[in-house]
Every structure is written in C-alpha cells, then in structure tokens.
Amino acid sequence: MTHSRFRYPEKVSEISEICSSRLNSLLTMSQHPSHETDPRWTAVDNYSFSHLRRPSSTTLSSADLSYALTNSAQNGLPDIAVSPSQGKYLMLQAKLVKAKNILEVGTLGGYSTIWLANSSPDVQVVSVEVNSHHAGVARANLSHAGVGERVEIKLGPGVEVLPQLAEEVKQGKRGKFQMVFIDADKENNWNYVDVAVGMTEQGGCIIVDNVVRKGLLADPNTTDPRVWGAKTVVENIGKDERLDGVVMQTVGEKNYDGFLIAVVK
C-alpha cells in the first residue's frame, strides 16, 4: 500500500531532526501564554454548535441562555461559566445516564444549571452556591428560563452543605443522584468527590471541571493551590476502588483546559 502524501523518514538523522523541531516548537509555545488562545478553537465551537443545536428538540431557547449570560455580566458575576458546547455536553451526559436527580457544586449565575435542568422534563437539580449574590442572580436566570421549579439552590460552603445532603440521602429523605457536576473552589475538588460518591447511584457519573489548568496539571513545580486541588482529585480517584475515571483535555472558546469524568462502580 502506497501513501502519496506522506513519506516515512528514511534516516535516523531525519527522524531526530523532526523530533527536535517539534520539541522546539512546543517549548516556544510554552513560553508564550498567547498560544493558549486560538481563533480556530472558537470558530469550531461556533460552527459545530450552530449546526448541532436544534431548538425544536428541547424547550431550552437561545434567548434564555443569552439572558442568563447577559444578566450575570450586568450583575458583576465573573465570566467563568461553561461554554455553550460544554453546557450541551453536560445536558447530553445527563440524558445518557437518564438522570432524574442531579447535584451541582458551584451555581454561579445558573448557566450550566439551565442546561442540566433541561436534560429531562422531570429532572430535579440541587445546586450548591456559597455566594448569596450569585445565588440571587442564578434564581432570576433560572426563573426566566422556566426551570426555577426544577432547581433547588442550597446556599453555603460546599464542604458544609454536601455532608448535610449526604445525611439526608442516608436517611431516605432525598434520593440518590445519577450525576454530579463539580465546578467550584478547586482546592476542595477531592472533598466534594469523596462525599458525592456515597450519594451517587452505581453507574452514575461525577464530572469535575477545570482540572487541566492550561497544562499545569502535569507540572510538579506549580505552587497554585487550584492546580494542587486538581492534582489531588486526579490522583485520589486513581487510587479509589469506588471510582473509575479519565481526564479529557479540551480546547475551545473557554481556552485550554479539561475535565475529569468518573463512573461510580
């Protein structure tokens, strides 16, 4: 079989030259943070989302999503919500596991919450938010999107609220979750996962956002506590017999990052 467009290098020196050139390119990129943004990533997000988004297939409207982002910005919330493509990924993941109860840690303005609440007509979402102002904005956004009755916002630090939820599940006052989405203070990633496992059904999934941190996840010399929070959750899940997980790196309009998805055994 011949390849008209690709020629295998015939000499060791030629292979070495190719590897050296690629390494130098990567090193150069690592020295310039601007390489972490690329107009192609946003273009692909916009192109694919516009073609794969079918408004008639869901009650979720583009106007509701736009309102949530605009209202959040006008109220001073940081622009750190998931992208539209990431939001739809979360919604489809909830559909895949047939989630009826979803736990979200980190509400912010409720943008990802709106996606999750549209995964099923009868889904219920419990979303934990530490900031009362953020929670108020989120409630307004959820109400505007028509999903306010499907979402319960629990106000308080996740490290305090999650154990309370776990006790309610244990006592039978609340059903187990089929999906958990964690996008809060990164230093507590593992604490949230550790508690969430006991509240999640076998076969359910736990997704932790922003674990790649522009590649710093693999940097042994980083001093950023958020990166160490990502390292801890990755390493602990790898040692935890209750979970089976994988990290997926992503690029897009939200830059270079990635998420960890784990299945409860």
Side-chain angles (χ1 to χ4, degrees), residues 3-259:
H3 300 265
S4 59
R5 295 187 178 181
F6 184 84
R7 179 177 62 84
Y8 289 97
E10 298 176 349
K11 300 178 182 179
V12 173
S13 60
E14 189 174 355
I15 298 175
S16 177
E17 182 179 349
I18 292 172
C19 292
S20 178
S21 175
R22 178 58 178 155
L23 178 59
N24 288 334
S25 175
L26 290 172
L27 289 173
T28 300
M29 289 170 64
S30 68
Q31 295 167 3
H32 296 83
S34 61
H35 85 273
E36 292 159 356
T37 60
D38 191 314
R40 294 173 300 177
W41 303 347
T42 300
V44 169
D45 266 0
N46 291 339
Y47 169 82
S48 60
F49 186 80
S50 67
H51 284 279
L52 295 173
R53 174 92 171 95
R54 295 175 179 268
S56 61
S57 66
T58 175
T59 57
L60 179 58
S61 73
S62 298
D64 291 334
L65 293 168
S66 296
Y67 177 88
L69 293 177
T70 301
N71 189 47
S72 295
Q74 290 175 345
N75 279 277
L77 273 63
D79 182 20
I80 55 175
V82 299
S83 71
S85 292
Q86 291 168 338
K88 187 171 184 182
Y89 167 83
L90 292 172
M91 184 181 74
L92 293 179
Q93 187 63 53
K95 287 178 178 288
L96 285 171
V97 297
K98 296 179 172 58
K100 297 302 179 184
N101 292 302
I102 298 174
L103 172 62
E104 178 182 53
V105 186
T107 316
L108 193 61
Y111 184 77
S112 56
T113 323
I114 292 172
W115 281 103
L116 292 170
N118 275 277
S119 61
S120 169
D122 55 353
V123 69
Q124 294 295 314
V125 182
V126 178
S127 190
V128 181
E129 176 55 49
V130 66
N131 186 301
S132 59
H133 175 61
H134 293 179
V137 175
R139 289 190 178 98
N141 293 337
L142 293 164
S143 177
H144 185 273
V147 294
E149 295 182 356
R150 301 183 202 170
V151 180
E152 176 187 2
I153 296 181
K154 303 285 285 186
L155 186 63
V159 291
E160 296 178 6
V161 175
L162 262 64
Q164 295 170 5
L165 292 173
E167 185 60 29
E168 292 178 11
V169 171
K170 182 179 179 180
Q171 294 178 4
K173 297 178 180 179
R174 188 183 294 273
K176 281 196 169 186
F177 299 98
Q178 294 79 41
M179 179 176 174
V180 179
F181 176 52
I182 298 171
D183 188 12
D185 50 318
K186 310 310 176 184
E187 297 87 343
N188 279 306
N189 275 340
W190 170 246
N191 293 328
Y192 297 147
V193 170
D194 191 31
V195 177
V197 174
M199 294 189 281
T200 306
E201 287 187 356
Q202 182 180 13
C205 70
I206 299 175
I207 299 175
V208 185
D209 201 11
N210 308 126
V211 298
V212 174
R213 313 300 302 181
K214 300 180 182 178
L216 291 175
L217 177 67
D219 183 356
N221 300 315
T222 181
T223 59
D224 189 332
R226 294 169 298 179
V227 178
W228 280 105
K231 285 176 175 287
T232 300
V233 75
V234 169
E235 294 173 10
N236 284 0
I237 285 179
K239 296 180 288 188
D240 197 317
E241 294 297 329
R242 302 171 298 173
L243 296 162
D244 189 11
V246 68
V247 167
M248 295 299 298
Q249 300 184 75
T250 60
V251 294
E253 61 181 272
K254 287 295 181 176
N255 218 310
Y256 167 39
D257 209 332
F259 58 86

